[in-house]
Amino acid sequence: MDLILFLLVLVLLGLGAYLLFKVNGLQHQLAQTLEGNADNLSDQMTYQLDTANKQQLLELTQLMNRQQAGLYQQLTDIRDVLHRSLSDSRDRSDKRLEKINQQVNQSLKNMQESNEKRLEKMRQIVEEKLEETLKNRLHASFDSVSKQLESVNKGLGEMRSVAQDVGTLNKVLSNTKTRGILGELQLGQIIEDIMTSSQYEREFVTVSGSSERVEYAIKLPGNGQGGYIYLPIDSKFPLEDYYRLEDAYEVGDKLAIEASRKALLAAIKRFAKDIHKKYLNPPETTNFGVMFLPTEGLYSEVVRNASFFDSLRREENIVVAGPSTLSALLNSLSVGFKTLNIQKNADDISKILGNVKLEFDKFGGLLAKAQKQMNTANNTLDQLISTRTNAIVRALNTVETYQDQATKSLLNMPLLEEENNEN
């Protein structure tokens, strides 16, 4: 049985292989047939397409030729029409422009005539206005010049009076005593503005037994109790020598400048010796004095020569000061006086503070004692309120309470604040 089945399988396999071989052969033949048919069909279609394309191209060419001929004819017609229209428009435009040109020329002519008339009127008006304005301006100018000439005459008169005043001032300043008074006044003004009247003396004799009085003497604290040391300050004003130096500066003469400067310094030297001799008397005075020069220009001429300025300080014990320098010196002295007063009063202030401290300690003890007494009184009141009041209340609990006015009047007691508020 198994053999039969095996044989059947072999037969079936053989049949399958045969059928497969046949199928492959048929597929190959079919493919060759289809390929041949496709080539034939492609050739036929190519031929037909070429034939159709040639026919269509011929028809399109003929159609385009016909359309081109028609279009050319239309363009020719349009060109002729446009040419005729442009010719007509040009003719009409020429006529219109000619007419407009004539109108414009006529308008310009009329406008020119009108402008000429107006300009003539304006010229006449302007000439009249200019003539009137010129007359008014000339009249006003003459009036102004007349007034200015009057002012100049007045100014000349004032200048004459000023010149006379200057001459008078020169005469006044040419007097040595008058110059000294002016310098003293300026010195006094500076000192009085800075110092108090108790800090300086005026026209003071600094040397005992001498009749020479220095213009001002500044009081400086001395070594003794309530004693003072005096700083002499005297003003000097060598005006002639200073004027000669200024004139030499204006001219520019070096020799004259040098000679005038030497003369000025020599005068300052004499003044310094005079102050040293008359007013310096240590220890009643300071070992130096101050020479006050009333103008900054004069002071700058002295300070310009540093060696001369230093020699006055070393040899004559004199310090030269101008208005600003003296003000600075006096201000520094004033500050020093205030510092000394504070130092003198420091001991008194310390004693006062000690007394205040002692009294404050006593005051603290009294406050502590009063506080203790107040605490004792508070304790007593607490005891009365807590003990005695409760005992009285317990004793009165057995008594009947009456609220009528008759019983209240018997006690003759004042109303309490709460009862007054209720009433």
Side-chain angles (χ1 to χ4, degrees), residues 80 104 107 289:
D80 295 337
V104 168
S107 299

Side-chain angles (χ1 to χ4, degrees), residues 186-379:
Q186 187 176 359
L187 174 61
Q189 186 66 40
I190 294 174
I191 293 176
E192 291 172 3
D193 289 342
I194 298 174
M195 312 294 287
T196 62
S197 59
S198 62
Q199 293 175 340
Y200 65 89
E201 294 287 348
R202 184 176 180 182
E203 297 295 332
F204 185 71
V205 177
T206 57
V207 180
S208 300
S210 174
S211 61
E212 299 294 340
R213 295 177 179 271
V214 71
E215 293 176 356
Y216 285 90
I218 305 299
K219 294 180 180 180
L220 301 177
N223 295 327
Q225 186 69 23
Y228 293 102
I229 297 176
Y230 294 93
L231 170 62
I233 302 177
D234 199 63
S235 64
K236 299 297 179 183
F237 201 175
L239 189 63
E240 292 88 353
D241 297 323
Y242 181 64
Y243 277 173
R244 283 194 290 270
L245 180 59
E246 290 294 321
D247 293 337
Y249 276 131
E250 292 180 0
V251 175
D253 189 352
K254 293 183 179 180
L255 296 177
I257 291 172
E258 190 64 26
S260 300
R261 183 181 290 119
K262 288 181 179 180
L264 177 62
L265 296 180
I268 297 294
K269 185 77 171 179
R270 289 195 305 272
F271 291 146
K273 289 181 178 180
D274 188 57
I275 294 173
H276 178 82
K277 181 179 179 181
K278 292 180 179 180
Y279 308 128
L280 294 185
N281 185 29
E284 295 180 3
T285 66
T286 57
N287 59 355
F288 69 95
V290 178
M291 181 193 301
F292 174 69
L293 300 179
T295 64
E296 294 292 344
L298 181 58
Y299 172 70
S300 64
E301 287 296 333
V302 177
V303 176
R304 183 178 298 177
N305 193 331
S307 60
F308 175 76
F309 185 80
D310 188 61
S311 67
L312 291 179
R313 182 182 58 80
R314 287 185 290 101
E315 297 174 4
E316 306 299 337
N317 293 329
I318 297 299
V319 176
V320 180
S324 59
T325 309
L326 182 63
S327 298
L329 175 62
L330 294 178
N331 279 316
S332 63
L333 290 176
S334 178
V335 173
F337 291 157
K338 293 178 181 178
T339 304
L340 288 175
N341 289 330
I342 292 172
Q343 290 177 354
K344 288 181 180 180
N345 294 328
D347 294 336
D348 296 336
I349 294 171
S350 178
K351 291 178 182 179
I352 292 171
L353 290 175
N355 292 329
V356 170
K357 181 180 180 182
L358 180 61
E359 293 297 328
F360 189 77
D361 292 338
K362 293 179 180 180
F363 179 70
L366 292 174
L367 283 177
K369 186 176 180 181
Q371 184 180 11
K372 185 177 180 181
Q373 292 177 356
M374 290 177 67
N375 291 332
T376 303
N378 287 329
N379 293 330

Side-chain angles (χ1 to χ4, degrees), residues 33 52 100 116 178 203 236 401 419:
T33 302
I100 291 170
E116 288 178 354
T178 306
E203 297 295 332
K236 299 297 179 183
T401 302
E419 295 178 350

Side-chain angles (χ1 to χ4, degrees), residues 398-414:
T398 58
V399 179
E400 186 177 357
T401 302
Y402 293 95
Q403 296 292 335
D404 57 346
Q405 295 295 329
T407 56
K408 288 184 179 181
S409 62
L410 291 175
L411 293 175
N412 195 18
M413 294 178 64

Side-chain angles (χ1 to χ4, degrees), residues 28-45:
H28 181 68
Q29 291 178 0
L30 181 61
Q32 289 179 352
T33 302
L34 289 174
E35 185 177 356
N37 292 331
D39 291 337
N40 293 328
L41 182 61
S42 176
D43 293 337
Q44 292 177 1
M45 289 179 68

